[in-house]
Amino acid sequence: MLFIKCDELKPGMRLAKPIYNKKGVLLYDRATVLKDQQSIENIRSFGLIGVFILEPAEPVPPMTQEDIEFERFQTVMYNEIMDELAYILKTHKQDRFPNICAQIIKNYGNLRKKINFQQGLRSNEDYIYKHSLNVAILAAMIAHSMNLSLADQNEAVMAAVIHDIGKLSLDPTLQAKPRCTNEELLMIDAHEMAGYPVIDEAFTFLPNIKRACNQARKILLDYWQNEDVQIQKTLLTARILVVAGIFDKETAVRSEDSPVSEVLVIRRMMQRSDVFDQRVVKGLIDSINILAPGSSVELNTGEKALVIRTNEEDFLRPTVLSFRDNSIIDLSNRSAYGELEIMDIMKTMDNRYVMDTAKVKALGISVEEPEYV
Protein backbone atom coordinates (compact mmCIF):
# COMPACT_ATOMS: atom_id res chain seq x y z
CA MET A 1 0.00 0.00 0.00
CA LEU A 2 1.37 3.40 -0.99
CA PHE A 3 0.34 6.94 -0.13
CA ILE A 4 0.08 8.97 -3.31
CA LYS A 5 -0.55 12.71 -3.36
CA CYS A 6 -3.50 13.73 -5.51
CA ASP A 7 -1.22 15.61 -7.91
CA GLU A 8 0.63 12.36 -8.59
CA LEU A 9 -2.36 10.09 -9.26
CA LYS A 10 -2.43 8.33 -12.63
CA PRO A 11 -5.08 6.36 -14.54
CA GLY A 12 -4.93 2.64 -13.77
CA MET A 13 -4.18 3.04 -10.05
CA ARG A 14 -6.40 1.14 -7.57
CA LEU A 15 -7.77 2.66 -4.38
CA ALA A 16 -6.79 0.87 -1.16
CA LYS A 17 -9.39 2.63 0.99
CA PRO A 18 -12.94 3.87 0.34
CA ILE A 19 -13.64 7.54 -0.24
CA TYR A 20 -16.78 9.15 1.23
CA ASN A 21 -18.30 12.58 0.90
CA LYS A 22 -18.93 14.69 4.00
CA LYS A 23 -22.36 13.12 4.48
CA GLY A 24 -20.89 9.61 4.57
CA VAL A 25 -22.05 8.60 1.09
CA LEU A 26 -19.64 6.17 -0.57
CA LEU A 27 -18.10 7.77 -3.65
CA TYR A 28 -15.33 5.32 -4.50
CA ASP A 29 -15.05 1.85 -2.99
CA ARG A 30 -11.86 -0.07 -2.25
CA ALA A 31 -10.16 -1.58 -5.31
CA THR A 32 -11.81 1.01 -7.59
CA VAL A 33 -9.60 1.58 -10.61
CA LEU A 34 -9.00 5.20 -11.58
CA LYS A 35 -9.94 4.74 -15.23
CA ASP A 36 -9.33 8.21 -16.59
CA GLN A 37 -8.21 11.74 -15.79
CA GLN A 38 -11.78 12.74 -14.97
CA SER A 39 -11.86 10.26 -12.06
CA ILE A 40 -8.64 11.78 -10.76
CA GLU A 41 -10.00 15.32 -11.08
CA ASN A 42 -13.10 14.27 -9.15
CA ILE A 43 -10.94 13.00 -6.27
CA ARG A 44 -8.87 16.18 -6.28
CA SER A 45 -12.06 18.23 -6.01
CA PHE A 46 -12.83 16.58 -2.64
CA GLY A 47 -9.96 18.54 -1.07
CA LEU A 48 -7.92 15.45 -0.19
CA ILE A 49 -4.14 15.79 -0.01
CA GLY A 50 -3.72 12.23 -1.21
CA VAL A 51 -5.07 8.70 -1.07
CA PHE A 52 -3.81 5.20 -0.36
CA ILE A 53 -3.15 3.20 -3.52
CA LEU A 54 -2.66 -0.55 -3.90
CA GLU A 55 0.56 -1.71 -5.49
CA PRO A 56 0.11 -3.57 -8.82
CA ALA A 57 -0.04 -7.13 -7.42
CA GLU A 58 -1.27 -6.24 -3.93
CA PRO A 59 -4.59 -7.75 -2.81
CA VAL A 60 -7.25 -5.59 -1.22
CA PRO A 61 -6.48 -5.44 2.54
CA PRO A 62 -9.01 -7.11 4.84
CA MET A 63 -11.64 -4.91 6.45
CA THR A 64 -14.59 -5.96 8.55
CA GLN A 65 -17.89 -4.12 8.35
CA GLU A 66 -16.94 -2.49 11.67
CA ASP A 67 -13.69 -1.18 10.14
CA ILE A 68 -15.56 0.23 7.15
CA GLU A 69 -18.15 1.88 9.38
CA PHE A 70 -15.40 3.38 11.56
CA GLU A 71 -13.81 5.10 8.54
CA ARG A 72 -17.21 6.33 7.32
CA PHE A 73 -18.05 7.65 10.80
CA GLN A 74 -14.72 9.49 11.01
CA THR A 75 -15.37 11.20 7.67
CA VAL A 76 -18.84 12.39 8.66
CA MET A 77 -17.94 13.53 12.17
CA TYR A 78 -14.72 15.24 11.08
CA ASN A 79 -16.76 17.53 8.82
CA GLU A 80 -19.39 18.13 11.50
CA ILE A 81 -16.74 19.05 14.06
CA MET A 82 -15.03 21.39 11.59
CA ASP A 83 -18.30 23.25 10.95
CA GLU A 84 -19.24 23.34 14.66
CA LEU A 85 -15.88 24.68 15.86
CA ALA A 86 -16.08 27.43 13.22
CA TYR A 87 -19.56 28.32 14.50
CA ILE A 88 -18.41 28.39 18.14
CA LEU A 89 -15.44 30.61 17.28
CA LYS A 90 -17.73 33.03 15.48
CA THR A 91 -20.63 33.16 17.94
CA HIS A 92 -19.22 31.80 21.23
CA LYS A 93 -22.32 29.60 21.29
CA GLN A 94 -23.04 25.95 20.59
CA ASP A 95 -25.21 24.77 17.74
CA ARG A 96 -24.94 21.02 17.05
CA PHE A 97 -22.29 20.34 19.69
CA PRO A 98 -24.43 18.20 22.07
CA ASN A 99 -25.65 16.11 19.13
CA ILE A 100 -22.09 15.55 17.88
CA CYS A 101 -20.98 14.31 21.30
CA ALA A 102 -24.09 12.15 21.63
CA GLN A 103 -23.33 10.48 18.29
CA ILE A 104 -19.77 9.71 19.39
CA ILE A 105 -20.98 8.16 22.65
CA LYS A 106 -23.77 6.24 20.91
CA ASN A 107 -21.36 4.67 18.41
CA TYR A 108 -18.22 4.17 20.53
CA GLY A 109 -19.11 4.78 24.16
CA ASN A 110 -21.04 1.58 24.80
CA LEU A 111 -18.99 -1.15 23.12
CA ARG A 112 -18.54 -4.59 24.65
CA LYS A 113 -15.42 -5.43 22.65
CA LYS A 114 -12.19 -3.85 21.51
CA ILE A 115 -12.02 -2.09 18.15
CA ASN A 116 -9.36 -1.63 15.49
CA PHE A 117 -8.54 2.05 15.98
CA GLN A 118 -7.74 3.14 12.43
CA GLN A 119 -5.73 6.28 11.90
CA GLY A 120 -6.61 8.18 8.74
CA LEU A 121 -4.07 10.38 7.01
CA ARG A 122 -3.89 14.01 8.18
CA SER A 123 -2.73 17.23 6.63
CA ASN A 124 -1.66 20.37 8.49
CA GLU A 125 -5.01 21.96 7.60
CA ASP A 126 -7.27 19.21 8.99
CA TYR A 127 -5.09 18.04 11.88
CA ILE A 128 -6.97 19.78 14.72
CA TYR A 129 -10.39 18.56 13.62
CA LYS A 130 -9.30 14.94 13.15
CA HIS A 131 -7.31 15.01 16.38
CA SER A 132 -10.29 16.38 18.32
CA LEU A 133 -12.56 13.69 16.88
CA ASN A 134 -10.16 10.83 17.63
CA VAL A 135 -9.49 12.04 21.16
CA ALA A 136 -13.25 12.21 21.69
CA ILE A 137 -13.76 8.65 20.41
CA LEU A 138 -10.94 7.39 22.63
CA ALA A 139 -12.30 9.34 25.61
CA ALA A 140 -15.74 7.78 25.11
CA MET A 141 -14.28 4.26 25.03
CA ILE A 142 -11.95 4.83 27.99
CA ALA A 143 -14.75 6.30 30.12
CA HIS A 144 -16.97 3.32 29.29
CA SER A 145 -14.17 0.86 30.08
CA MET A 146 -13.70 2.57 33.45
CA ASN A 147 -17.44 2.30 34.18
CA LEU A 148 -17.85 6.05 34.56
CA SER A 149 -21.30 7.59 34.68
CA LEU A 150 -22.90 8.88 31.47
CA ALA A 151 -22.50 12.43 32.81
CA ASP A 152 -18.75 11.93 33.31
CA GLN A 153 -18.41 10.26 29.91
CA ASN A 154 -20.25 13.13 28.23
CA GLU A 155 -18.02 15.64 30.01
CA ALA A 156 -14.89 13.84 28.79
CA VAL A 157 -16.14 13.70 25.20
CA MET A 158 -17.17 17.37 25.21
CA ALA A 159 -13.78 18.44 26.57
CA ALA A 160 -12.05 16.31 23.93
CA VAL A 161 -13.93 17.88 21.03
CA ILE A 162 -13.42 21.48 22.20
CA HIS A 163 -9.99 21.35 23.91
CA ASP A 164 -7.88 22.53 20.94
CA ILE A 165 -10.16 25.29 19.64
CA GLY A 166 -7.61 27.97 20.55
CA LYS A 167 -4.98 26.30 18.35
CA LEU A 168 -7.05 26.96 15.23
CA SER A 169 -5.57 30.48 15.16
CA LEU A 170 -2.07 29.00 14.88
CA ASP A 171 -0.16 28.54 11.64
CA PRO A 172 -1.31 25.11 10.34
CA THR A 173 2.25 23.78 10.18
CA LEU A 174 2.60 24.43 13.91
CA GLN A 175 -0.81 22.94 14.73
CA ALA A 176 0.30 19.53 13.49
CA LYS A 177 4.02 19.62 14.29
CA PRO A 178 4.92 16.44 16.23
CA ARG A 179 8.08 17.79 17.91
CA CYS A 180 8.41 21.42 18.96
CA THR A 181 11.11 23.68 20.39
CA ASN A 182 10.50 25.26 23.78
CA GLU A 183 9.71 28.58 22.08
CA GLU A 184 7.13 26.86 19.86
CA LEU A 185 5.61 25.10 22.87
CA LEU A 186 5.08 28.43 24.61
CA MET A 187 3.51 29.91 21.47
CA ILE A 188 1.14 26.94 21.16
CA ASP A 189 0.32 27.21 24.87
CA ALA A 190 -0.57 30.89 24.52
CA HIS A 191 -2.96 30.18 21.65
CA GLU A 192 -4.53 27.30 23.54
CA MET A 193 -5.21 29.53 26.56
CA ALA A 194 -6.57 32.25 24.26
CA GLY A 195 -9.36 29.86 23.36
CA TYR A 196 -10.54 29.43 26.95
CA PRO A 197 -12.74 32.57 27.06
CA VAL A 198 -14.61 31.10 24.06
CA ILE A 199 -15.02 27.80 25.89
CA ASP A 200 -16.15 29.72 28.98
CA GLU A 201 -18.97 31.43 27.09
CA ALA A 202 -20.04 28.39 25.08
CA PHE A 203 -20.12 26.15 28.17
CA THR A 204 -21.33 28.57 30.85
CA PHE A 205 -23.22 25.87 32.74
CA LEU A 206 -20.46 23.27 32.43
CA PRO A 207 -17.40 24.87 34.11
CA ASN A 208 -15.58 21.52 34.33
CA ILE A 209 -15.12 21.53 30.56
CA LYS A 210 -12.78 24.51 30.64
CA ARG A 211 -11.20 23.28 33.89
CA ALA A 212 -10.38 19.88 32.38
CA CYS A 213 -8.93 21.45 29.22
CA ASN A 214 -6.75 23.79 31.28
CA GLN A 215 -5.50 21.04 33.60
CA ALA A 216 -4.68 18.71 30.68
CA ARG A 217 -2.83 21.55 28.95
CA LYS A 218 -0.71 22.20 32.04
CA ILE A 219 0.12 18.50 32.51
CA LEU A 220 1.29 18.15 28.90
CA LEU A 221 3.25 21.40 28.89
CA ASP A 222 5.15 20.34 32.01
CA TYR A 223 5.68 16.88 30.50
CA TRP A 224 7.13 18.25 27.25
CA GLN A 225 9.30 20.76 29.10
CA ASN A 226 10.61 18.04 31.46
CA GLU A 227 9.16 19.78 34.49
CA ASP A 228 7.68 18.05 37.54
CA VAL A 229 4.16 16.92 36.74
CA GLN A 230 1.34 16.85 39.28
CA ILE A 231 -1.84 14.93 38.40
CA GLN A 232 -3.10 13.97 41.86
CA LYS A 233 -5.50 16.89 42.24
CA THR A 234 -6.63 17.11 38.63
CA LEU A 235 -10.02 16.11 37.29
CA LEU A 236 -10.34 12.57 35.95
CA THR A 237 -11.60 14.14 32.71
CA ALA A 238 -8.27 15.97 32.37
CA ARG A 239 -6.33 12.74 32.87
CA ILE A 240 -8.43 11.03 30.21
CA LEU A 241 -7.68 13.94 27.85
CA VAL A 242 -3.94 13.54 28.49
CA VAL A 243 -3.86 9.80 27.73
CA ALA A 244 -6.19 9.97 24.72
CA GLY A 245 -4.47 13.08 23.38
CA ILE A 246 -0.95 11.72 23.54
CA PHE A 247 -1.99 8.37 22.08
CA ASP A 248 -3.64 10.00 19.08
CA LYS A 249 -0.89 12.57 18.56
CA GLU A 250 1.91 10.00 18.60
CA THR A 251 0.17 7.38 16.43
CA ALA A 252 -1.27 9.85 13.89
CA VAL A 253 -0.44 9.19 10.25
CA ARG A 254 1.06 12.19 8.49
CA SER A 255 2.37 12.25 4.92
CA GLU A 256 5.75 13.59 6.04
CA ASP A 257 6.27 11.64 9.29
CA SER A 258 6.11 8.01 10.34
CA PRO A 259 3.73 7.34 13.25
CA VAL A 260 4.98 5.90 16.52
CA SER A 261 3.65 2.39 17.14
CA GLU A 262 0.86 1.85 19.67
CA VAL A 263 3.14 -0.49 21.61
CA LEU A 264 5.84 2.14 22.10
CA VAL A 265 3.35 4.86 23.02
CA ILE A 266 1.60 2.75 25.65
CA ARG A 267 4.90 1.39 26.98
CA ARG A 268 6.06 4.99 27.57
CA MET A 269 2.81 5.80 29.33
CA MET A 270 3.18 2.79 31.60
CA GLN A 271 6.64 4.01 32.58
CA ARG A 272 5.39 7.48 33.58
CA SER A 273 2.69 7.05 36.20
CA ASP A 274 3.44 10.60 37.37
CA VAL A 275 2.05 11.90 34.06
CA PHE A 276 -0.39 9.24 32.87
CA ASP A 277 -3.01 7.86 35.26
CA GLN A 278 -2.51 4.10 34.99
CA ARG A 279 -6.22 3.42 35.44
CA VAL A 280 -6.86 5.53 32.34
CA VAL A 281 -4.05 3.81 30.45
CA LYS A 282 -5.64 0.46 31.30
CA GLY A 283 -8.96 1.82 30.05
CA LEU A 284 -7.25 2.58 26.74
CA ILE A 285 -5.63 -0.87 26.55
CA ASP A 286 -9.00 -2.50 27.26
CA SER A 287 -10.65 -0.53 24.44
CA ILE A 288 -8.51 -1.12 21.35
CA ASN A 289 -6.78 -4.00 19.57
CA ILE A 290 -3.02 -3.58 19.79
CA LEU A 291 -1.21 -6.92 19.72
CA ALA A 292 -3.96 -8.97 18.11
CA PRO A 293 -3.38 -12.38 16.48
CA GLY A 294 -1.59 -11.86 13.19
CA SER A 295 0.55 -8.96 14.42
CA SER A 296 4.21 -9.17 13.45
CA VAL A 297 6.51 -8.17 16.30
CA GLU A 298 10.18 -7.81 17.15
CA LEU A 299 11.52 -9.28 20.38
CA ASN A 300 14.32 -7.80 22.46
CA THR A 301 16.63 -10.54 21.12
CA GLY A 302 16.17 -9.15 17.60
CA GLU A 303 13.99 -12.11 16.61
CA LYS A 304 10.84 -11.56 14.56
CA ALA A 305 7.64 -13.33 15.58
CA LEU A 306 3.91 -13.59 14.93
CA VAL A 307 1.30 -13.11 17.66
CA ILE A 308 -0.97 -16.18 17.75
CA ARG A 309 -2.75 -15.69 21.09
CA THR A 310 -3.44 -12.54 23.08
CA ASN A 311 -2.91 -12.11 26.80
CA GLU A 312 -5.73 -10.16 28.41
CA GLU A 313 -3.84 -9.87 31.70
CA ASP A 314 -0.77 -8.28 30.08
CA PHE A 315 -1.14 -7.38 26.41
CA LEU A 316 2.65 -7.02 26.09
CA ARG A 317 3.16 -10.72 26.87
CA PRO A 318 1.11 -12.73 24.34
CA THR A 319 1.94 -16.12 22.83
CA VAL A 320 4.00 -15.78 19.66
CA LEU A 321 5.39 -17.97 16.90
CA SER A 322 9.09 -17.36 16.22
CA PHE A 323 9.94 -16.86 12.54
CA ARG A 324 13.46 -18.17 13.19
CA ASP A 325 12.60 -21.75 14.14
CA ASN A 326 8.78 -21.96 14.29
CA SER A 327 8.93 -22.36 18.07
CA ILE A 328 6.01 -21.29 20.22
CA ILE A 329 6.86 -18.75 22.90
CA ASP A 330 4.35 -18.06 25.67
CA LEU A 331 5.60 -14.74 27.00
CA SER A 332 3.15 -14.96 29.90
CA ASN A 333 5.31 -17.79 31.27
CA ARG A 334 7.78 -15.58 33.08
CA SER A 335 9.65 -18.52 34.67
CA ALA A 336 10.62 -19.73 31.20
CA TYR A 337 10.78 -16.45 29.25
CA GLY A 338 11.14 -13.81 31.95
CA GLU A 339 13.80 -11.78 30.12
CA LEU A 340 12.18 -12.08 26.69
CA GLU A 341 9.75 -9.34 25.70
CA ILE A 342 8.24 -7.54 22.75
CA MET A 343 10.14 -4.43 21.75
CA ASP A 344 7.91 -3.14 18.98
CA ILE A 345 5.34 -4.02 16.39
CA MET A 346 5.90 -4.20 12.65
CA LYS A 347 2.86 -3.15 10.66
CA THR A 348 1.48 -1.57 7.55
CA MET A 349 0.04 1.94 7.69
CA ASP A 350 -3.54 0.68 7.88
CA ASN A 351 -2.94 -1.22 11.14
CA ARG A 352 -4.44 -4.47 9.85
CA TYR A 353 -2.71 -7.83 9.63
CA VAL A 354 -3.23 -11.02 7.70
CA MET A 355 -2.43 -14.35 9.31
CA ASP A 356 -2.70 -17.65 7.45
CA THR A 357 -4.40 -19.54 10.28
CA ALA A 358 -4.49 -22.78 8.26
CA LYS A 359 -0.69 -22.87 8.08
CA VAL A 360 -0.33 -22.04 11.75
CA LYS A 361 -2.84 -24.73 12.76
CA ALA A 362 -0.98 -27.23 10.57
CA LEU A 363 1.92 -26.80 12.99
CA GLY A 364 -0.34 -28.07 15.78
CA ILE A 365 -0.86 -24.60 17.27
CA SER A 366 -4.19 -23.43 18.66
CA VAL A 367 -4.79 -19.88 17.52
CA GLU A 368 -7.40 -17.24 18.12
CA GLU A 369 -9.33 -16.29 15.02
CA PRO A 370 -9.04 -12.49 14.80
CA GLU A 371 -12.41 -10.87 14.18
CA TYR A 372 -11.06 -8.47 11.61
CA VAL A 373 -9.44 -10.98 9.24
Side-chain angles (χ1 to χ4, degrees):
M1 184 184 300
L2 304 171
F3 172 74
I4 304 294
K5 292 185 177 179
C6 283
D7 291 341
E8 300 170 2
L9 292 174
K10 297 178 182 178
M13 290 181 170
R14 293 180 302 145
L15 294 177
K17 293 192 173 187
I19 297 177
Y20 303 93
N21 69 8
K22 58 168 44 178
K23 296 296 184 181
V25 176
L26 180 66
L27 301 175
Y28 292 95
D29 205 348
R30 298 185 304 148
T32 296
V33 177
L34 303 180
K35 296 180 178 179
D36 49 35
Q37 196 61 36
Q38 184 58 52
S39 299
I40 295 172
E41 292 302 323
N42 289 341
I43 290 177
R44 288 174 180 165
S45 69
F46 300 149
L48 303 174
I49 60 172
V51 295
F52 287 108
I53 294 294
L54 295 170
E55 297 189 69
E58 183 181 1
V60 180
M63 288 183 76
T64 65
Q65 188 58 42
E66 287 81 4
D67 293 336
I68 293 171
E69 174 56 28
F70 186 66
E71 291 198 358
R72 190 200 68 80
F73 182 81
Q74 285 180 309
T75 301
V76 173
M77 298 309 298
Y78 148 69
N79 284 287
E80 290 200 17
I81 286 175
M82 180 169 59
D83 292 343
E84 181 66 9
L85 292 186
Y87 179 84
I88 291 174
L89 277 173
K90 182 179 179 179
T91 66
H92 294 197
K93 297 179 181 179
Q94 303 174 39
D95 180 21
R96 300 193 67 253
F97 195 91
N99 183 57
I100 288 171
C101 296
Q103 287 186 66
I104 292 171
I105 292 173
K106 177 183 177 181
N107 283 272
Y108 295 100
N110 301 283
L111 300 178
R112 295 180 179 275
K113 62 180 182 178
K114 297 181 180 182
I115 71 165
N116 302 320
F117 191 78
Q118 307 300 336
Q119 286 281 21
L121 187 73
R122 300 182 200 178
S123 67
N124 292 334
E125 289 70 26
D126 65 19
Y127 178 87
I128 293 294
Y129 308 111
K130 290 183 176 178
H131 174 67
S132 298
L133 170 60
N134 277 4
V135 175
I137 292 173
L138 290 168
M141 293 191 295
I142 291 170
H144 176 64
S145 178
M146 296 178 69
N147 295 315
L148 301 187
S149 67
L150 180 59
D152 288 339
Q153 185 182 48
N154 191 54
E155 182 178 285
V157 172
M158 283 187 166
V161 173
I162 200 69
H163 78 284
D164 269 350
I165 193 169
K167 293 182 183 178
L168 290 172
S169 59
L170 275 168
D171 183 288
T173 57
L174 198 53
Q175 291 177 13
K177 193 172 181 181
R179 298 289 178 270
C180 298
T181 64
N182 192 59
E183 182 179 350
E184 289 170 334
L185 284 175
L186 293 176
M187 185 184 302
I188 293 170
D189 188 60
H191 280 263
E192 195 167 354
M193 287 192 293
Y196 290 163
V198 177
I199 296 175
D200 239 350
E201 288 191 54
F203 296 88
T204 304
F205 300 105
L206 293 169
N208 275 354
I209 301 296
K210 174 191 169 184
R211 190 173 298 126
C213 293
N214 189 40
Q215 289 177 357
R217 174 199 64 80
K218 183 64 166 63
I219 290 170
L220 289 175
L221 182 63
D222 289 343
Y223 172 59
W224 286 321
Q225 292 186 316
N226 296 315
E227 301 286 347
D228 289 336
V229 180
Q230 301 293 330
I231 67 171
Q232 293 82 4
K233 296 182 179 181
T234 58
L235 295 171
L236 180 56
T237 299
R239 285 174 263 166
I240 291 174
L241 273 184
V242 168
V243 170
I246 285 291
F247 182 83
D248 180 72
K249 179 182 177 67
E250 294 290 333
T251 62
V253 179
R254 304 173 178 88
S255 59
E256 67 279 3
D257 292 299
S258 297
V260 182
S261 78
E262 295 96 332
V263 169
L264 286 183
V265 175
I266 292 180
R267 188 192 294 276
R268 291 172 187 169
M269 289 184 182
M270 293 171 71
Q271 294 170 345
R272 292 294 305 270
S273 58
D274 59 321
V275 179
F276 305 103
D277 186 325
Q278 296 304 296
R279 296 170 301 163
V280 178
V281 175
K282 185 179 185 304
L284 173 63
I285 293 169
D286 291 342
S287 300
I288 59 176
N289 289 312
I290 305 171
L291 288 175
S295 306
S296 296
V297 295
E298 181 177 354
L299 306 179
N300 57 346
T301 57
E303 290 182 70
K304 307 298 189 296
L306 185 78
V307 175
I308 59 175
R309 189 180 300 119
T310 57
N311 180 355
E312 293 301 321
E313 296 300 319
D314 184 350
F315 84 99
L316 288 170
R317 304 192 73 85
T319 300
V320 301
L321 175 69
S322 172
F323 290 153
R324 178 174 57 84
D325 57 7
N326 284 338
S327 63
I328 304 172
I329 304 171
D330 183 358
L331 294 174
S332 67
N333 185 349
R334 292 180 180 271
S335 61
Y337 304 106
E339 299 300 319
L340 197 60
E341 61 180 9
I342 291 174
M343 292 301 293
D344 202 358
I345 195 169
M346 299 177 293
K347 63 179 183 179
T348 58
M349 290 186 74
D350 72 346
N351 293 358
R352 285 180 285 271
Y353 312 89
V354 181
M355 176 172 60
D356 191 333
T357 55
K359 289 184 178 180
V360 176
K361 287 178 178 177
L363 296 172
I365 303 168
S366 172
V367 301
E368 296 175 1
E369 295 282 1
E371 295 181 0
Y372 50 93
V373 182

